[in-house]
Amino acid sequence: MDRREFLRNSTYCGLALAFGGPLTALRAHAATPLGDQRWEELYRDEFLDTRGDAQGFAFHCSNCQGNCAWKVFAKDGRVTREEQSAAYPQIHPRIPDANPRGCNKGIVHSKEMYQGDRLLHPLKRAGERGEGKWERVSWEEALEDIATRVVDTLTEQGPGELMVYAGTGILSQGRRAGPLRLGSLLGAQRLYPASAVGDMFTGASLAYGLANTGHSLDAWFDADAIFLWAINPIVTRIPDAHYLNEARYNGATIYTISPDYNPSCKFATHWVPIKPGTDAYLAMSLLHVLLRDGHVNDAFVREQTDLPFLVREDSGELLRHRDLRARGKEDVFYCWDEASGKEQPMPGTPGHFKKTLRLGKLRPALGGRYEIKGKEGELIPVTTVFERVRAEAANYPPDETQAITGVHPELVERMARDLARSNKAIINIGFALHKYVSGTMSCWAAALACALTGHAGERGGIDTEHNWSLNGIGPLSSPKPARFASGFFSEWLNGDMQASMDTHYSDEHLKATAGYDSKDVERQVAENRESGKAYYGKPRALLLFADNMFRRNKTEAHHREAVLSNLDIFVDINHRMDSTALWADYVLPAKSHYESWDIRGELGYHRFCNVTIPPEGLKPVGETRSEWAICLGLSEAMAKVARARGIEPIADPDFLVQEGDMAAPVMRDLQTLPDDFTDGGTLKNDEDVVRWLMENVEQIAPWTPEDARKNGFVILNEKAGFTSPLYANRPYHSFERNVYLREPYKTHSGRQQFFVDHPVFKEHGWTVPTAIGPLRPPSFPLAFYTPHTRWGIHSQWRTNEQLLRLQRGEPYLWLNPATAAARDVGEDDRVRVFNDVGEFIARVKLMPAVPPEAVVMDHAWEPHQFEKRIGLNSTVAGMISLLELPDGWGHLTFSPNWDGNMIAHESSVEVEKA
Amino acid sequence: MTARQLGMVIDLNKCIGCQTCTLACKSQWTDRDGREFMYWNHVETRPGKGYPKDWEQAGGGWDGDTLRPGRLPRLHEDYGYPAEFGYEVLFEEGEKPLRPKEEMAWGPNWDEDQGAGEYPNSYFFYLPRLCNHCSNPACQVACPRQAIYKREEDGIVLIDQERCRGYRYCVAACPYKKIYFNPLAGKSEKCIFCYPRLEKGLPQACAYQCVGRARHVAFLDDQEGALHQLVNQWKVALPLHAEYGTQPNVYYVPPLSPPKIGSNGRSLDEPRVPDEYLVQLFGPGVGAALEMLREEMAKKNRGEASELMDLLIAYRHGDMFRLDRPREVV
């Protein structure tokens, strides 16, 4: 409805005020209606209209780990409404079912897809970058020009200068396959998304060699104790939050550890209010209590952890085979065997011939000091990892850590007791924890707490974010080797981020809080670059799919300018005009969640693999195309250019293929690109891709797309678990293969690992879990942290009209009323948030839930929603953690399980009335 | 009294304030035709002014057997005009931010997560609200056109859109301020308990699509239904502001909260939400209801069985809805 029309009519409402006097009942209750009820057809007809004439299924393939099956209704080719499929089967009569999965974001996509920021046509920049002058062009013209310029880059500078990156706006197996395959054929760079967005759980990586581990979230239901650490699932895991509340009704004790009284605290048994960024001290005090009171599951830690491993007291390093024998191995480690009264190699380490954790006759000592004869006959004084851990934890009694954390010792004692006495306890680590430098340590210490108390397998343990294993996708997404780059490290260098770190954090302050300074970071960055750590230089051509890079990165404009200054061509492929697309040379309009076939099954919160099947007869929105069609179009246009210029296959000697006994460089053949992309014409479109995946991923067997047409999903089979089988009738728990079958872990020690003697760890006293931080510089009085929001999946749906009406329409921050009053700031006032890195303006919402020492703001508002389009990351200084940079030590080697984070929550700010 | 009465229990220990119900209702009924500003169902944070703003101070309901005077909420100040956004700025030159064309003054969730109290002892909880389909509806009596009636078969209160002339006496008379005036149609409208869905065997959009699994729907006379059990048997589900006299048929399981924290950080054995605040909303039975919940939770904690907890857990989503006819639509 037109606004003017609405207001004209609504003047009735104004006049109506005059009617607001006392009212008198005119008659007693009408027993029966006066008229007939035929008018009721009015709403019945409306209902049928929303139900439409066609029905499809969809999930929302953004960086949301919810993965919920929805019905999508359409009428006359236009989507009318969506409703959760709500048909997931119950896996066991005593476990609540998963229905109806789907939240406030998913439910507005039928509006979002037709909203005014939807990209409808290919646009070409007609002014300076970011100036906002656009020219509408045809697909043919856009693809031809882009292809020409990308071919120029490839032929003149080589494949490493091209980045083809699909961001976290599309994280499914179907739609994501297009950009992955194109980038792979061309040898382009792509970033590791989890580290680009700062979602690495490096504390879990240290302990298990796995960043993503844990349970399906129905595993909450029968837990005895649940610790929600820096995670706010009532807001951020909406489809699974019911399992928490049902667990509480089922007798679970729930703790939330958070500086603010967030919504999850309301639903908890106990809220543990902690000062921002001091979590590592709390974790260490928990270890202190567990060790002080002897809450140690002896059999578990002897077999499943490296706690009995011997540590040299002279060098502070693990005792290795090479210490005892000339030409000894690097990856064989020792225990002190109480049975034989001497050192013995531990089975199950990578270098040991026994590939099992079974100890046999060994009785590894947990404690003690010993002397062992070295390879030169010298006596080496040794102790155990357990002794080191115990000595470190002894430094953190809860009555002393209270001064730092604000957490009362009684609460620490109670948590430790509940962890120790629970049959099943789960510690959920939220993404916010590793947004502090100390996060690695907090998480590592929490993992140790679970190890001491034997929480693994069906007894619970650490839950970071569990994912399923899906095999067989390689031939589709990675037909040729390409440049897989560290996300955080590339963005750090591409965005020249050290500058703002140096501005915001003094070296003295860093040394005092983190134990390292900017020179240490600089040195380690240089070392990583020299050793060729997963970094391929600043790209000159960027094809960016569904990634809001210039919204996400810290320092905002500083990062953006650094990246753009190196780009000859920047193409943004997206379904909406986001803060990154605004700066592109070309914007290509993509289909969104309901418009192309898609499939997603890797998300481990539940076992259901959802399939998007658009409603029959759905009309295209503008000239949008699927990512697959766009990549195919680009392939065809590049082949045309290559044929016209007679470009022969380009050798890419960074990657070799073995042919017989000869190694030859991988060839990037532009002329055959469309044929290679479609695999000889078999993968023509998005539907072909989904069908291919369902046929080739073994965890999806035996299901077909026709099965998915019933309710929008299929069920993964028992092979989907990485570290345990996925049983049909039980929630998934991690590490059953290790705990019950004694398979080694994917760590340097083959066990849950709590000792790391990498030189950087050794130099800074980080060999065992310890406390560091917070880094927050005292130059500005308030901590600034930006948790995940209820109102978007990062920036997706952040500009949705329906959702903004349920907020305040524009960016606001949360301020404690006392903090606001001290600055003469009131509810809904505009304030300037500033520090030495930048500033932005937002409204104030007075929140007694927020600690007086902090400014809290929902993350991921689009910069273009702020005044002058300057967003909240303007005040967040660059920071990376020295703990996350070391590379090339056992399992600490770049991979999806070892990479770092852009540290987001350590900056400090001040606030004043604008 | 009608032959049968359909009701709803909303469990405030399972309502997570996500507003999925609000948006399910909106896309089912109120995203069009002059209803854009209406939220037949919404979730407000309590304590707070709510939606429409200060509705508890706007009168209506019963004073004994006479109607209490009520006032009409204002569109901009009390409901909030539905913000519209000029997305075209994203395709134009300049630095104009994407903002509502007119600043928002209020909205259905303006108070979100604010609550009351002082750090670290602040408190809040979520309160979903919709038409209570009252057994003694003030709106019905207030209507001079006799356009409002209760359906015999399910007790749903409806405003006959052919008889209604838009006088808005009902808007003022409803003490929950859950009737809205449609300026385009010139008629009053409100939650219809999704009767077109119910008639096809499909529960209300707000209940069926509640991802927190907080809503039970059943006929009050259904002995097997959650309504009878939670309201009459266990007495843990209570009406909101029973003193308004309209005999609501939407009931609430009152909210639990973690304990207060002392000045030294020690966890205290004191309730975070003041008892009198809950009594004000849910009446004098709220203390006993909360005690019952705690006792039954403690049983589960000790590994014992609890029928009440199992009922509230609701192992199967489909079992939360006991309608009187089978599902006819897919």
Side-chain angles (χ1 to χ4, degrees), chain A residues 23-73:
Chain A
L23 295 173
T24 314
L26 296 173
R27 56 187 292 279
H29 299 194
T32 49
L34 278 181
D36 60 44
Q37 291 176 233
R38 268 176 301 183
W39 76 271
E40 288 175 14
E41 289 302 318
L42 174 81
Y43 292 122
R44 290 188 188 110
D45 291 345
E46 277 196 34
F47 169 65
L48 291 176
D49 267 357
T50 63
R51 222 63 186 175
D53 53 26
Q55 186 197 304
F57 288 99
F59 59 93
H60 302 91
C61 116
S62 58
N63 188 9
C64 170
Q65 314 301 67
N67 197 19
C68 310
W70 290 77
K71 288 175 186 163
V72 176
F73 304 106

Side-chain angles (χ1 to χ4, degrees), chain B residues 225-256:
Chain B
L227 266 281
H228 173 76
Q229 296 186 17
L230 295 171
V231 176
N232 301 324
Q233 212 173 308
W234 290 98
K235 297 185 174 25
V236 293
L238 307 162
L240 176 66
H241 285 307
E243 75 279 11
Y244 292 165
T246 61
Q247 297 171 25
N249 288 303
V250 174
Y251 297 84
Y252 297 91
V253 177
L256 297 157

